[in-house]
Amino acid sequence: MSPPAAPDPPIPAGALETAEVVPAALTVDVALTEHADRALLTVRAEPPGGERRPDVDAEAIARAAAALAAAGVVHGIDDLAVGEAVRAADGQARVVARASAPRPPEDARIVLDHIAAMRADPLFTVPAGIRIAHRTQARPGSPGTDVTGAPVPPAEPRVPALEAGNGARLVDDGEAPAVHAEVAGRPEPSGARVGVEPAVRAADIAPGARASVHGTLQVSGDVGEGASLHATGRIEVAGLVSHARLEAEDGIAVSGSCLATTLRAGVHRAACRSLVVPLADALDALAALDAQLAQLLTGLPEGARAPDEAGALRMLAARHHADLPELWRAAAHAVAVHGPEARLDPGAAEAVTSMARRVEELPAGGSLTRADILSLDAATAAERARLQAVPAAGAEVRAAYLQGCRVECSGDLVVTGGGTYNTDGLVGGDLVADAPGATVRGGDLRIAGVVRAGELGAPGGARVDIHLPGPARPGTRLVARLAHPGVEITIAGRSVSIAHTTLNPTVGCDEENRVARTGERAGG
């Protein structure tokens, strides 16, 4: 058995009371970052681990505040962070103040005005003159404040350059530039550059589809049954068109055949031009009447009593403007016939119709005043300018073959392939169907210009009615290589019938405006 362990030696009396406790001393340092966006506080205890008394911490916090002030730190001070740094006193730099950041600017942006419609519709287009893109205004930011109280300038807003591409123009007032379409078509953005492509393209047009475009519509395939297409420019189809409707202001070209289709080219343009002359004649005559009235009133002797305006107008109209009623009847008729197709303003149309009635009543005692004439001028001025600006050139229809179609065009009808069959037409220019093997069989054709055809009619006697309107004038109006019985030609109010198969027939008027025809009977 082991003996018991010896007890520890006793601690000398007074030893605990005489052990020395070293109080801690704190040092405080302040540093600023390069741009004074932060202030860093470093607090050290010397010696580390020394005794920490509350009065020492309070004094250190006051010294830290003084040090921050001495370093110029007056903004964004975090008192909690200062107290934490003092309590830790570990020599680590701590962020105790932060700058207030500036409010960022609002950059200018380029906005495509019709982007939603363009994404939804591959055939979306715009008319000439419309705005297609613009740049928003940039807005500056507001300054911030660094930890010393100095302002921190905001960044400059970015302002991208806006440019106009082909078919567009830049309208720049210095603040909010915009791009406007110079031609009709589809907006084409490319970065900050926005232009207009005058032609919009489609592979095929589905049966029953409806499409209306500003500019030119190009179809690389076929146009399905029941489709309806409208273009302010041209319609160009590479394939077949069947049981459809095509309308274009600048012309129609179909590389394939057209079956049971309505083709209308330049009809609006033709209607506008049909209004120009009768309106101008009627308005000019009325202006001349008004000028004579003004001259009459100006030439009165001093003190003479001015005549009644309505009576004076009746007198002048009867003596010098006997054709005034007829001119205004022609103008009113033109408005009634062509006004809807020309999209004549309803107010202008009503003003013309009303004036025609008043002029008609004038000889029988109707009332007409100078105020009425001035009112008419104001009501029709804009429409007259619009009609005068419409191009006079006709719009052409061109197709390889037409069967069972209806054609209306202000320009030529050109058939590049096999000709026409049972097709009716109202043609403002020439009919050209003289390709090898081309025939014009059946149908009712009204041709304002000249007919040049390979073969008219058919051996079986298919009836073809060709009307050559207009007054008699010297020159040939119809030329063909062959014509069959059943072809009826109306020229200068007279009818010419083809009674026998005829080689190289021609029809026109001679120098004395008499109908003249030539040709050789086939087979002698």
Short mmCIF file of all heavy atoms in Angstrom, two decimals, residues 129-160:
data_model
loop_
_atom_site.label_atom_id
_atom_site.label_comp_id
_atom_site.label_asym_id
_atom_site.label_seq_id
_atom_site.Cartn_x
_atom_site.Cartn_y
_atom_site.Cartn_z
N GLY A 129 -43.21 59.87 -94.34
CA GLY A 129 -43.45 61.03 -93.48
C GLY A 129 -43.63 60.71 -92.02
O GLY A 129 -43.48 61.59 -91.17
N ILE A 130 -43.92 59.47 -91.67
CA ILE A 130 -44.21 59.12 -90.28
C ILE A 130 -42.91 58.94 -89.50
O ILE A 130 -41.87 58.55 -90.05
CB ILE A 130 -45.07 57.84 -90.22
CG1 ILE A 130 -45.70 57.67 -88.84
CG2 ILE A 130 -44.23 56.61 -90.57
CD1 ILE A 130 -46.73 56.56 -88.79
N ARG A 131 -42.95 59.24 -88.20
CA ARG A 131 -41.78 59.02 -87.35
C ARG A 131 -41.61 57.53 -87.09
O ARG A 131 -42.57 56.83 -86.76
CB ARG A 131 -41.96 59.76 -86.01
CG ARG A 131 -40.68 59.81 -85.18
CD ARG A 131 -40.91 60.50 -83.86
NE ARG A 131 -41.59 59.64 -82.91
CZ ARG A 131 -41.85 59.97 -81.65
NH1 ARG A 131 -41.50 61.16 -81.19
NH2 ARG A 131 -42.46 59.13 -80.85
N ILE A 132 -40.38 57.03 -87.24
CA ILE A 132 -40.14 55.60 -87.04
C ILE A 132 -39.20 55.32 -85.87
O ILE A 132 -39.12 54.19 -85.40
CB ILE A 132 -39.59 54.94 -88.32
CG1 ILE A 132 -38.33 55.65 -88.80
CG2 ILE A 132 -40.65 54.95 -89.41
CD1 ILE A 132 -37.69 54.97 -90.00
N ALA A 133 -38.46 56.32 -85.40
CA ALA A 133 -37.56 56.13 -84.25
C ALA A 133 -37.27 57.49 -83.64
O ALA A 133 -37.31 58.52 -84.33
CB ALA A 133 -36.27 55.44 -84.67
N HIS A 134 -36.96 57.48 -82.36
CA HIS A 134 -36.56 58.72 -81.71
C HIS A 134 -35.63 58.41 -80.54
O HIS A 134 -35.53 57.26 -80.10
CB HIS A 134 -37.77 59.51 -81.21
CG HIS A 134 -38.52 58.85 -80.10
ND1 HIS A 134 -39.42 57.81 -80.30
CD2 HIS A 134 -38.50 59.06 -78.75
CE1 HIS A 134 -39.92 57.42 -79.14
NE2 HIS A 134 -39.38 58.16 -78.18
N ARG A 135 -34.93 59.42 -80.08
CA ARG A 135 -34.06 59.27 -78.93
C ARG A 135 -34.65 60.01 -77.75
O ARG A 135 -35.02 61.18 -77.86
CB ARG A 135 -32.66 59.83 -79.25
CG ARG A 135 -31.61 59.49 -78.18
CD ARG A 135 -30.25 60.03 -78.57
NE ARG A 135 -30.20 61.49 -78.50
CZ ARG A 135 -29.28 62.23 -79.10
NH1 ARG A 135 -28.36 61.65 -79.84
NH2 ARG A 135 -29.28 63.54 -79.00
N THR A 136 -34.75 59.32 -76.61
CA THR A 136 -35.28 59.95 -75.42
C THR A 136 -34.25 60.94 -74.85
O THR A 136 -33.05 60.85 -75.15
CB THR A 136 -35.61 58.92 -74.34
OG1 THR A 136 -34.40 58.24 -73.94
CG2 THR A 136 -36.61 57.89 -74.86
N GLN A 137 -34.72 61.86 -74.06
CA GLN A 137 -33.81 62.83 -73.46
C GLN A 137 -33.07 62.21 -72.28
O GLN A 137 -33.67 61.50 -71.45
CB GLN A 137 -34.58 64.06 -72.97
CG GLN A 137 -35.04 64.98 -74.11
CD GLN A 137 -35.58 66.28 -73.57
OE1 GLN A 137 -36.04 66.35 -72.43
NE2 GLN A 137 -35.55 67.31 -74.38
N ALA A 138 -31.78 62.46 -72.21
CA ALA A 138 -31.00 62.03 -71.05
C ALA A 138 -31.30 62.95 -69.86
O ALA A 138 -31.61 64.13 -70.04
CB ALA A 138 -29.51 62.08 -71.38
N ARG A 139 -31.21 62.37 -68.66
CA ARG A 139 -31.43 63.18 -67.46
C ARG A 139 -30.22 63.03 -66.55
O ARG A 139 -29.78 61.91 -66.27
CB ARG A 139 -32.69 62.74 -66.74
CG ARG A 139 -33.94 62.86 -67.61
CD ARG A 139 -35.21 62.68 -66.81
NE ARG A 139 -36.38 62.74 -67.66
CZ ARG A 139 -36.94 63.88 -68.09
NH1 ARG A 139 -36.41 65.04 -67.71
NH2 ARG A 139 -38.00 63.85 -68.88
N PRO A 140 -29.66 64.16 -66.08
CA PRO A 140 -28.45 64.08 -65.23
C PRO A 140 -28.78 63.49 -63.87
O PRO A 140 -29.92 63.58 -63.38
CB PRO A 140 -28.01 65.53 -65.12
CG PRO A 140 -29.26 66.33 -65.32
CD PRO A 140 -30.10 65.55 -66.30
N GLY A 141 -27.76 62.90 -63.25
CA GLY A 141 -27.92 62.43 -61.87
C GLY A 141 -27.72 63.58 -60.89
O GLY A 141 -27.51 64.73 -61.30
N SER A 142 -27.79 63.28 -59.59
CA SER A 142 -27.55 64.30 -58.56
C SER A 142 -26.28 63.92 -57.80
O SER A 142 -25.98 62.74 -57.64
CB SER A 142 -28.73 64.42 -57.62
OG SER A 142 -28.99 63.16 -57.01
N PRO A 143 -25.52 64.92 -57.34
CA PRO A 143 -24.24 64.62 -56.67
C PRO A 143 -24.44 63.92 -55.33
O PRO A 143 -25.46 64.08 -54.66
CB PRO A 143 -23.60 65.99 -56.50
CG PRO A 143 -24.73 66.96 -56.55
CD PRO A 143 -25.76 66.36 -57.44
N GLY A 144 -23.43 63.15 -54.94
CA GLY A 144 -23.40 62.56 -53.61
C GLY A 144 -22.49 63.40 -52.71
O GLY A 144 -22.14 64.53 -53.03
N THR A 145 -22.11 62.82 -51.55
CA THR A 145 -21.26 63.53 -50.59
C THR A 145 -20.23 62.54 -50.04
O THR A 145 -20.60 61.45 -49.59
CB THR A 145 -22.08 64.10 -49.43
OG1 THR A 145 -23.15 64.89 -49.95
CG2 THR A 145 -21.22 64.94 -48.51
N ASP A 146 -18.92 62.93 -50.11
CA ASP A 146 -17.91 62.03 -49.54
C ASP A 146 -17.85 62.23 -48.03
O ASP A 146 -18.57 63.07 -47.46
CB ASP A 146 -16.56 62.21 -50.23
CG ASP A 146 -15.89 63.54 -49.92
OD1 ASP A 146 -16.30 64.22 -48.96
OD2 ASP A 146 -14.95 63.91 -50.65
N VAL A 147 -16.98 61.48 -47.34
CA VAL A 147 -16.96 61.51 -45.87
C VAL A 147 -16.45 62.83 -45.32
O VAL A 147 -16.66 63.15 -44.14
CB VAL A 147 -16.13 60.34 -45.32
CG1 VAL A 147 -16.77 59.01 -45.67
CG2 VAL A 147 -14.68 60.41 -45.78
N THR A 148 -15.80 63.65 -46.18
CA THR A 148 -15.33 64.97 -45.72
C THR A 148 -16.36 66.05 -45.95
O THR A 148 -16.11 67.22 -45.68
CB THR A 148 -14.03 65.35 -46.44
OG1 THR A 148 -14.32 65.61 -47.82
CG2 THR A 148 -12.99 64.26 -46.31
N GLY A 149 -17.54 65.66 -46.55
CA GLY A 149 -18.57 66.64 -46.84
C GLY A 149 -18.47 67.24 -48.22
O GLY A 149 -19.30 68.07 -48.60
N ALA A 150 -17.46 66.84 -48.99
CA ALA A 150 -17.29 67.38 -50.34
C ALA A 150 -18.27 66.68 -51.30
O ALA A 150 -18.59 65.49 -51.11
CB ALA A 150 -15.86 67.19 -50.82
N PRO A 151 -18.76 67.39 -52.34
CA PRO A 151 -19.69 66.74 -53.28
C PRO A 151 -19.00 65.70 -54.14
O PRO A 151 -17.82 65.85 -54.50
CB PRO A 151 -20.20 67.92 -54.12
CG PRO A 151 -19.13 68.95 -54.05
CD PRO A 151 -18.51 68.82 -52.69
N VAL A 152 -19.73 64.65 -54.45
CA VAL A 152 -19.25 63.60 -55.37
C VAL A 152 -20.07 63.72 -56.66
O VAL A 152 -21.27 63.48 -56.65
CB VAL A 152 -19.43 62.19 -54.76
CG1 VAL A 152 -18.94 61.13 -55.73
CG2 VAL A 152 -18.69 62.10 -53.43
N PRO A 153 -19.44 64.16 -57.75
CA PRO A 153 -20.22 64.39 -58.98
C PRO A 153 -20.77 63.07 -59.53
O PRO A 153 -20.11 62.03 -59.45
CB PRO A 153 -19.20 65.01 -59.93
CG PRO A 153 -17.88 64.55 -59.44
CD PRO A 153 -18.00 64.45 -57.95
N PRO A 154 -21.98 63.11 -60.09
CA PRO A 154 -22.54 61.90 -60.71
C PRO A 154 -21.87 61.63 -62.06
O PRO A 154 -21.24 62.51 -62.65
CB PRO A 154 -24.02 62.24 -60.89
CG PRO A 154 -24.02 63.73 -61.09
CD PRO A 154 -22.91 64.26 -60.22
N ALA A 155 -22.04 60.42 -62.57
CA ALA A 155 -21.54 60.09 -63.90
C ALA A 155 -22.33 60.85 -64.97
O ALA A 155 -23.49 61.21 -64.76
CB ALA A 155 -21.64 58.59 -64.14
N GLU A 156 -21.71 61.11 -66.10
CA GLU A 156 -22.40 61.74 -67.21
C GLU A 156 -23.33 60.72 -67.87
O GLU A 156 -22.95 59.57 -68.06
CB GLU A 156 -21.40 62.27 -68.23
CG GLU A 156 -20.61 63.46 -67.77
CD GLU A 156 -21.51 64.68 -67.54
OE1 GLU A 156 -22.46 64.87 -68.33
OE2 GLU A 156 -21.26 65.41 -66.57
N PRO A 157 -24.55 61.12 -68.25
CA PRO A 157 -25.44 60.17 -68.94
C PRO A 157 -24.90 59.83 -70.32
O PRO A 157 -24.29 60.67 -70.99
CB PRO A 157 -26.77 60.92 -69.02
CG PRO A 157 -26.40 62.37 -68.94
CD PRO A 157 -25.19 62.43 -68.06
N ARG A 158 -25.15 58.62 -70.74
CA ARG A 158 -24.73 58.20 -72.08
C ARG A 158 -25.78 58.64 -73.10
O ARG A 158 -26.98 58.47 -72.86
CB ARG A 158 -24.53 56.69 -72.13
CG ARG A 158 -23.31 56.23 -71.33
CD ARG A 158 -23.16 54.73 -71.38
NE ARG A 158 -24.26 54.06 -70.69
CZ ARG A 158 -24.37 52.74 -70.58
NH1 ARG A 158 -23.47 51.96 -71.13
NH2 ARG A 158 -25.40 52.22 -69.93
N VAL A 159 -25.33 59.16 -74.22
CA VAL A 159 -26.22 59.65 -75.27
C VAL A 159 -25.79 59.01 -76.59
O VAL A 159 -24.86 59.46 -77.24
CB VAL A 159 -26.17 61.19 -75.38
CG1 VAL A 159 -27.15 61.67 -76.46
CG2 VAL A 159 -26.49 61.83 -74.05
N PRO A 160 -26.46 57.92 -77.00
CA PRO A 160 -26.07 57.27 -78.25
C PRO A 160 -26.44 58.15 -79.45
O PRO A 160 -27.41 58.90 -79.42
CB PRO A 160 -26.89 55.98 -78.25
CG PRO A 160 -28.07 56.28 -77.39
CD PRO A 160 -27.59 57.24 -76.35
#
